Amino acid sequence: IHTVAMVLTEALVLQQPELLPLFHATSKSGGILMSILHFMAHFALTQASDDELLVNHTDHGIDVKVMSCAVSRKNDLYLNPRFGLNDLSHELDSTLKNEGMNKLRPFLDRALAGISNKDEAWPPTSGKLMERIMAEGPTPELCIEQTDTTGCALYLGTSEPRSSYVSPREPLVVNRHRYFLRVLLAIQQTLDL
């Protein structure tokens, strides 16, 4: 999650260099924005797994808008007030105003829209995401065949060894291409929300 949030931070500043003071400041606004980016990373990585609501369960079938409706699997993101993205966004606006930095909000909005642009900024951003995620070591597996509301019949990973939460008895497919297809698609769709 942290790796994804940090790559998104770099991509935002690359899109809109005017945002740099926000990330280097000791202001509350910078901390709130980092919380938002970590939330978005957590949300996107959660959405990269299969979901009972999907019409198409293939790797290309990820639809963050549909999957985010599965509150039974994602209630920690919605029902826990610590993860209220709308609340964080309102708090960021208020804090930017209080700190006299509200002129940065339009730059942030343009940067968020820009980094998910499939033709321009997304290719280098997604390449950097893949590179950094792989450099961190073993990646957490994704459930690619969900059973019931919380079970998993098949996991997808980038390599062996498995993470500590997937037992050796559980089926695992190792395929780096499929893994990043799902993860990057979920991140891009989250940025587009």
Side-chain angles (χ1 to χ4, degrees), residues 12 15-16 18-19 103-116:
L12 289 172
Q15 279 289 307
Q16 295 289 320
E18 296 84 356
L19 294 172
K103 66 182 188 318
L104 295 178
R105 184 57 190 229
F107 292 108
L108 176 61
D109 293 339
R110 282 194 295 274
L112 284 168
I115 63 175
S116 69

Side-chain angles (χ1 to χ4, degrees), residues 78-139:
Y78 293 102
L79 302 179
N80 188 328
R82 292 181 301 151
F83 296 119
L85 186 56
N86 285 336
D87 294 338
L88 282 172
S89 184
H90 291 303
E91 188 175 342
L92 176 63
D93 289 339
S94 174
T95 306
L96 284 169
K97 183 179 178 184
N98 291 341
E99 293 177 338
M101 299 193 321
N102 52 334
K103 66 182 188 318
L104 295 178
R105 184 57 190 229
F107 292 108
L108 176 61
D109 293 339
R110 282 194 295 274
L112 284 168
I115 63 175
S116 69
N117 184 305
K118 291 180 185 176
D119 299 322
E120 295 173 20
W122 183 246
T125 301
S126 62
K128 190 176 285 188
L129 280 164
M130 286 175 51
E131 178 185 310
R132 295 267 184 86
I133 290 171
M134 288 307 297
E136 293 291 320
T139 56

Side-chain angles (χ1 to χ4, degrees), residues 1-7 37-43 45-46 140:
I1 294 170
H2 180 71
T3 301
V4 172
M6 294 312 296
V7 170
L37 293 174
H38 278 82
F39 172 90
M40 291 173 71
H42 182 211
F43 179 82
L45 293 171
T46 301

Side-chain angles (χ1 to χ4, degrees), residues 4-48:
V4 172
M6 294 312 296
V7 170
L8 293 179
T9 300
E10 293 169 16
L12 289 172
V13 171
L14 192 59
Q15 279 289 307
Q16 295 289 320
E18 296 84 356
L19 294 172
L20 191 59
L22 184 59
F23 291 107
H24 289 296
T26 56
S27 71
K28 290 181 180 180
S29 299
I32 294 167
L33 181 53
M34 289 308 299
S35 294
I36 290 171
L37 293 174
H38 278 82
F39 172 90
M40 291 173 71
H42 182 211
F43 179 82
L45 293 171
T46 301
Q47 303 304 323

Side-chain angles (χ1 to χ4, degrees), residues 110-169:
R110 282 194 295 274
L112 284 168
I115 63 175
S116 69
N117 184 305
K118 291 180 185 176
D119 299 322
E120 295 173 20
W122 183 246
T125 301
S126 62
K128 190 176 285 188
L129 280 164
M130 286 175 51
E131 178 185 310
R132 295 267 184 86
I133 290 171
M134 288 307 297
E136 293 291 320
T139 56
E141 293 81 8
L142 304 173
C143 176
I144 58 171
E145 217 174 280
Q146 183 179 348
T147 56
D148 302 320
T149 57
T150 60
C152 187
L154 182 62
Y155 287 94
L156 173 66
T158 58
S159 63
E160 293 279 359
R162 297 164 185 243
S163 68
S164 60
Y165 80 89
V166 176
S167 81
R169 295 182 311 277

